Amino acid sequence: MSSRPRIVVVGGGFGGLWATRALSGDGVDITLIDRRNHHLFQPLLYQVATAGLSSPDIAAPLRHILRNQRNVEVRLGEVTGIDMQSRTVTLADGEQLPYDCLLLASGATHAYFGHDEWSRDAPGLKTLDDALAIRRRLLVAFERAEACEDPDERAAWLSFAVVGGGPTGVELAGTLAEIARHTLKREFRNIDPSHARVRLIEAGPRVLASFPESLSAKAQRQLEKLGVEVVTGTAVSAIDARGFTLGEQFVPARTVLWAAGVAASPLGALLGVDRDRAGRVPVASDLSVPGHPEIFIAGDLASVVQDGKPVPGVAPAAKQMGAHVATAIRARLAGKPAAPFRYRDFGNLATIGRMAAVVDLHGFKLSGLLAWWFWLAAHVFFLIGFRNRIIVLINWAWAYWSYQRHARIILGQDNLERHPGERRDPS
Amino acid sequence: MSSRPRIVVVGGGFGGLWATRALSGDGVDITLIDRRNHHLFQPLLYQVATAGLSSPDIAAPLRHILRNQRNVEVRLGEVTGIDMQSRTVTLADGEQLPYDCLLLASGATHAYFGHDEWSRDAPGLKTLDDALAIRRRLLVAFERAEACEDPDERAAWLSFAVVGGGPTGVELAGTLAEIARHTLKREFRNIDPSHARVRLIEAGPRVLASFPESLSAKAQRQLEKLGVEVVTGTAVSAIDARGFTLGEQFVPARTVLWAAGVAASPLGALLGVDRDRAGRVPVASDLSVPGHPEIFIAGDLASVVQDGKPVPGVAPAAKQMGAHVATAIRARLAGKPAAPFRYRDFGNLATIGRMAAVVDLHGFKLSGLLAWWFWLAAHVFFLIGFRNRIIVLINWAWAYWSYQRHARIILGQDNLERHPGERRDPS
């Protein structure tokens, strides 16, 4: 369309979107490619999975976010090839997009550590479709328990496990306990939902390992107060439709959720360069791929080590990388050297459940109710789009006073009567 | 559990739910069976399909609605058999529920007039899953047009048709035109969404045939003002993945929606009694099945003729029938004769699009903006659940001022790259 430099951005998450927006005033033509039509506020995805929020509350169409940025074209599509020689990206529909600079920011997906067969019985949480599939499983489990005559089978339906004690696992387990103890109160006739057992399994010595030990201990106590059984120091060795095996012991549980492993997006493999164990691409100081100064990586796909420690896979890091890549592209187009990327760590937050969270701001530590308010304010503030913020606040205020979760609607009903192990993957 | 009379209610729509609630003070044990976990406010379903509202905005869990009514047990399940001899209902999971009185209120489904093969390429709108599948098709069509190089193919992706000029067809066509003309404005780079063609096809002589002729004419003018091409007096003779045939002429259209035919739920067939052409069960004056005074029918499954005219398949009629069945059950249990059902017709409303509707209150006719406000007030008022009403009002206020539709999130992404004709049915 012109002789302006062509920038191709793959992925409309925090990394890709922040880079794209930072280039809004530049004389470049940007194509932003994503497999999905929306930007997702991933930190609140567990709320969709646990029926507290609706999908549109935490997602906004990429086209809409970028409608006024005239140097961007948004393209719904899947990248299947990258030709670094001819500098071309190929999409699944066959279209080829030439680039002068390329940003890969396609994020991460679940990893089952060589046990991909577990994915059927222990779904993970990365997309809105994942969240709706998990929501369906949680709600159906209580329905099946209610309809069940056999006490052992009923107990198995009321047995829930979350594998992985990081922030997502802690959020899921805490909210699940809250649903069982409060939200569903008085709604069933044959079961008492508060008798549901919620286990959080962490192979390492403590939950929230990225936090100081004192906050891990506080988080565990808060989880236990909510009714979660926290199991640390033991790995899950098998998962099937009936339950899971912990060490040598089989534990019946019809609902197992996976929050343990993350692997970088497979797109990194298309570059043909070395990657680390989690599939991330080690980058140069300006976030470019070594030997390919025209290709950049941002977000969970990038392996960045700073002061001897890896930069964590969190939203603020992805945003900062995205913004830095915009600067680096600008420098490259001007023929100047790019400044090195430097991650500014503002602190670490994790929520546990109703009125419980932990906050670590470089030594200034908070836990409990105050930390929860801090977490809430930060998340509502960063939620994209003015409208969403208001609606989410109203939903939360409502949930807070009533213990209700408005999104308890099971979608994809055709799957209801099947056993979860027989279910086809959510679509 | 006791020797109290057992009432089984099949279906948690307007008919079944209103009957159940009307029996809240009676000494009976009610089991309410539904395949879905929620009551759905069907009159606003088209708003979910056209991305104006989220699923939880118009649905509430049946358990939650009935949590305080202690004589009800809610059962998620599918009825597969009715034994009128032993008075037992069988569910898909094998459970058998005995009844003293049975209410069948399982509603209606789409009908393709012997062309079931059209269902793949012309989905209908009855459930939330239908609505999300239609939403996906509409939004993906614009994405495919944007990515398409061939002008004919692009035009086919921008060609939409709604078959059937009743209230649902009019709502869908009007809203679709609004989306193309306003919502998506400025968001695409290669296409102008306002060039999309939206056709509303009605085989009969006029749209909204249940309204007075003057209002049909006004509705048609309002639709045309919104940009809809209204075609009356011509039937669709074929539909496939590429388009549809109108009389003898093939019209390319990648998105065809079905709003033409309704058939009663197949559960009516389990009774083994005579049914009318649409599968409805003709009932006695107290809404019981002739020869079976212990079985009642309410809502779209009932064929009721009053003053020589059929009672229409609308929400107020279903609610009134449900409430009447409660009275009839009470009379039967007391050994008294039941009063005959009498439908009170308060009037007829249909919305067309932004600020356009028609209202017929027994000769008092409204159209345009005033009718739209009347329609809005009535629908928000009748929406179940206090919380939903507030959220829906906020969503609408926002949509009104911004022309935006917040739920433009494509779910079920795996289907994106397939041709609609190859798509498996939405799950």
Side-chain angles (χ1 to χ4, degrees):
Chain A
M1 120 197 200
S2 69
S3 60
R4 309 209 301 179
R6 291 155 306 185
I7 317 292
V8 169
V9 176
V10 181
F14 289 114
L17 187 55
W18 259 247
T20 302
R21 297 215 283 199
L23 291 168
S24 65
D26 291 75
V28 295
D29 289 327
I30 307 168
T31 304
L32 173 61
I33 305 166
D34 199 302
R35 283 191 296 168
R36 304 195 164 80
N37 82 327
H38 49 270
H39 171 73
L40 178 65
F41 191 75
Q42 220 147 6
L44 289 179
L45 192 55
Y46 82 99
Q47 283 282 349
V48 175
T50 55
L53 294 174
S54 318
S55 309
D57 289 342
I58 63 158
L62 285 164
R63 287 194 184 290
H64 184 64
I65 298 172
L66 295 167
R67 69 197 178 285
N68 293 327
Q69 187 175 334
R70 304 309 295 180
N71 67 350
V72 184
E73 189 173 308
V74 175
R75 183 73 161 70
L76 189 68
E78 184 159 9
V79 170
T80 54
I82 299 169
D83 185 335
M84 296 189 283
Q85 224 58 45
S86 67
R87 300 193 176 171
T88 312
V89 163
T90 307
L91 301 185
D93 64 6
E95 194 174 336
Q96 300 207 316
L97 299 167
Y99 62 81
D100 296 300
C101 288
L102 171 66
L103 167 57
L104 277 190
S106 46
T109 179
H110 328 297
Y112 289 88
F113 309 130
H115 288 285
D116 284 350
E117 72 278 13
W118 294 354
S119 69
R120 206 189 51 180
D121 299 311
L125 182 62
K126 272 288 166 194
T127 67
L128 281 174
D129 289 315
D130 293 341
L132 294 179
I134 287 178
R135 183 198 291 179
R136 181 165 57 223
R137 286 192 186 214
L138 300 181
L139 297 176
V140 167
F142 287 100
E143 298 290 338
R144 297 294 291 267
E146 168 83 353
C148 186
E149 306 271 323
D150 179 68
D152 287 343
E153 210 186 321
R154 178 174 287 177
W157 281 115
L158 288 178
S159 168
F160 298 85
V162 179
V163 183
T168 302
V170 167
E171 285 160 357
L172 283 172
T175 315
L176 242 169
E178 184 189 325
I179 290 175
R181 299 235 163 160
H182 296 287
T183 309
L184 299 180
K185 211 177 187 169
R186 291 193 303 154
E187 295 198 5
F188 290 82
R189 301 296 182 254
N190 304 319
I191 59 166
D192 180 347
S194 70
H195 291 169
R197 294 184 70 169
V198 179
R199 290 178 178 91
L200 178 64
I201 320 288
E202 167 57 42
R206 58 190 176 98
V207 299
L208 298 181
S210 63
F211 283 78
E213 273 188 48
S214 64
L215 286 180
S216 287
K218 283 204 167 129
Q220 177 160 348
R221 272 204 298 285
Q222 290 176 23
L223 280 166
E224 285 163 352
K225 230 168 95 185
L226 287 166
V228 176
E229 300 169 40
V230 180
V231 183
T232 54
T234 318
V236 166
S237 57
I239 303 175
D240 64 25
R242 307 256 137 203
F244 60 96
T245 305
L246 202 56
E248 295 294 302
Q249 200 201 347
F250 177 75
V251 182
R254 290 291 168 86
T255 313
V256 180
L257 307 181
W258 186 259
V262 162
S265 145
L267 283 194
L270 296 178
L271 294 176
V273 298
D274 281 344
R275 291 177 299 145
D276 71 7
R277 265 195 336 159
R280 284 182 297 243
V281 180
V283 289
S285 68
D286 65 345
L287 303 180
S288 67
V289 174
H292 284 280
E294 77 285 7
I295 303 182
F296 298 88
I297 315 272
D300 288 355
L301 183 57
S303 165
V304 184
V305 175
Q306 181 168 307
D307 308 331
K309 286 195 320 196
V311 171
V314 295
K319 290 180 191 175
Q320 292 177 31
M321 289 189 214
H324 182 85
V325 167
T327 322
I329 287 176
R330 208 174 286 131
R332 178 175 162 78
L333 295 176
K336 294 182 192 153
F341 171 69
R342 184 98 206 133
Y343 171 52
R344 287 188 64 193
D345 180 3
F346 293 101
N348 212 351
L349 319 182
T351 182
I352 293 155
R354 187 176 170 78
M355 295 181 284
V358 288
V359 171
D360 172 32
L361 306 174
H362 302 300
F364 177 68
K365 303 190 189 77
L366 280 177
S367 67
L369 182 59
L370 207 62
W372 186 77
W373 282 109
F374 187 90
W375 174 89
L376 185 69
H379 279 73
V380 169
F381 179 77
F382 284 114
L383 194 58
I384 270 198
F386 174 70
R387 183 204 152 277
N388 283 0
R389 276 185 220 166
I390 294 178
I391 299 279
V392 168
L393 265 184
I394 292 173
N395 282 340
W396 267 337
W398 178 263
Y400 186 88
W401 292 113
S402 67
Y403 278 105
Q404 266 311 310
R405 304 185 74 78
H406 81 286
R408 280 169 45 208
I409 305 302
I410 303 179
L411 297 169
Q413 307 282 347
D414 292 349
N415 292 334
L416 257 195
E417 293 299 329
R418 295 185 214 165
H419 189 277
E422 300 159 4
R423 240 176 244 159
R424 65 172 183 236
D425 282 337
S427 73
Chain B
M1 121 193 196
S2 70
S3 62
R4 309 207 304 178
R6 292 157 304 186
I7 317 292
V8 170
V9 176
V10 181
F14 290 114
L17 186 56
W18 259 247
T20 301
R21 299 216 283 197
L23 289 168
S24 66
D26 291 76
V28 295
D29 289 327
I30 307 168
T31 303
L32 173 61
I33 306 166
D34 199 301
R35 284 191 294 169
R36 304 194 165 81
N37 82 328
H38 50 269
H39 171 74
L40 178 65
F41 191 75
Q42 219 148 7
L44 289 179
L45 192 55
Y46 82 99
Q47 283 282 349
V48 175
T50 55
L53 294 174
S54 319
S55 308
D57 289 343
I58 63 159
L62 284 164
R63 284 192 188 292
H64 185 64
I65 298 172
L66 295 167
R67 70 196 178 284
N68 293 327
Q69 187 175 334
R70 303 309 296 181
N71 67 350
V72 184
E73 188 174 310
V74 175
R75 183 74 161 70
L76 189 68
E78 183 158 10
V79 171
T80 53
I82 299 169
D83 184 334
M84 296 190 285
Q85 224 58 44
S86 67
R87 298 190 179 173
T88 311
V89 164
T90 306
L91 302 185
D93 64 6
E95 194 174 337
Q96 300 208 316
L97 300 166
Y99 62 79
D100 296 299
C101 288
L102 172 65
L103 166 57
L104 277 190
S106 46
T109 179
H110 328 296
Y112 290 88
F113 310 130
H115 288 283
D116 284 349
E117 72 278 12
W118 295 354
S119 68
R120 205 188 52 178
D121 299 311
L125 182 62
K126 272 288 167 194
T127 68
L128 281 175
D129 288 316
D130 294 342
L132 294 179
I134 287 178
R135 183 198 290 178
R136 182 165 55 221
R137 287 192 183 213
L138 300 182
L139 297 176
V140 167
F142 286 100
E143 297 291 338
R144 298 294 291 263
E146 170 81 353
C148 187
E149 306 271 322
D150 179 67
D152 287 344
E153 211 187 320
R154 176 173 289 177
W157 282 115
L158 288 177
S159 167
F160 299 85
V162 179
V163 183
T168 301
V170 166
E171 284 159 358
L172 283 173
T175 315
L176 242 170
E178 186 189 322
I179 289 174
R181 300 237 164 159
H182 296 287
T183 309
L184 299 180
K185 212 175 185 171
R186 292 191 304 155
E187 294 198 7
F188 291 82
R189 302 295 182 252
N190 304 318
I191 59 166
D192 181 346
S194 71
H195 290 167
R197 293 185 70 169
V198 180
R199 292 179 177 88
L200 177 65
I201 320 287
E202 166 57 43
R206 59 191 175 98
V207 298
L208 297 180
S210 63
F211 283 77
E213 272 187 48
S214 64
L215 286 181
S216 289
K218 283 202 168 129
Q220 176 160 350
R221 272 202 300 283
Q222 291 175 22
L223 280 166
E224 286 163 352
K225 232 167 95 185
L226 287 166
V228 176
E229 300 170 39
V230 179
V231 182
T232 54
T234 319
V236 166
S237 58
I239 303 176
D240 65 25
R242 307 256 135 202
F244 59 97
T245 306
L246 202 58
E248 295 295 301
Q249 200 201 346
F250 177 76
V251 182
R254 290 289 168 88
T255 314
V256 179
L257 307 180
W258 186 259
V262 163
S265 145
L267 283 193
L270 297 178
L271 295 175
V273 298
D274 281 345
R275 292 178 299 145
D276 71 7
R277 265 196 333 161
R280 285 182 297 245
V281 180
V283 289
S285 68
D286 66 345
L287 302 181
S288 68
V289 174
H292 285 279
E294 77 284 7
I295 304 181
F296 299 87
I297 315 271
D300 287 355
L301 183 58
S303 165
V304 185
V305 175
Q306 181 168 305
D307 307 332
K309 286 196 319 197
V311 171
V314 294
K319 290 181 192 175
Q320 292 177 32
M321 288 188 215
H324 182 86
V325 167
T327 322
I329 287 176
R330 206 173 288 134
R332 179 175 162 77
L333 295 175
K336 294 179 190 158
F341 171 70
R342 185 100 203 131
Y343 171 53
R344 287 188 66 193
D345 179 3
F346 292 102
N348 211 352
L349 319 182
T351 183
I352 293 155
R354 189 176 166 78
M355 293 182 284
V358 288
V359 172
D360 172 31
L361 307 173
H362 301 300
F364 177 69
K365 301 188 189 77
L366 280 177
S367 66
L369 181 60
L370 207 62
W372 187 76
W373 282 109
F374 187 90
W375 174 88
L376 184 70
H379 280 72
V380 170
F381 179 78
F382 284 115
L383 194 58
I384 269 198
F386 175 70
R387 184 204 152 276
N388 283 0
R389 275 184 220 166
I390 294 177
I391 300 280
V392 168
L393 266 184
I394 292 172
N395 282 340
W396 266 337
W398 178 264
Y400 186 88
W401 293 114
S402 67
Y403 276 106
Q404 265 311 312
R405 305 184 74 78
H406 81 286
R408 280 168 45 209
I409 305 303
I410 303 179
L411 297 169
Q413 307 282 348
D414 292 348
N415 292 335
L416 257 197
E417 293 299 330
R418 294 184 214 166
H419 188 277
E422 298 157 6
R423 240 176 243 159
R424 66 173 183 236
D425 283 337
S427 75

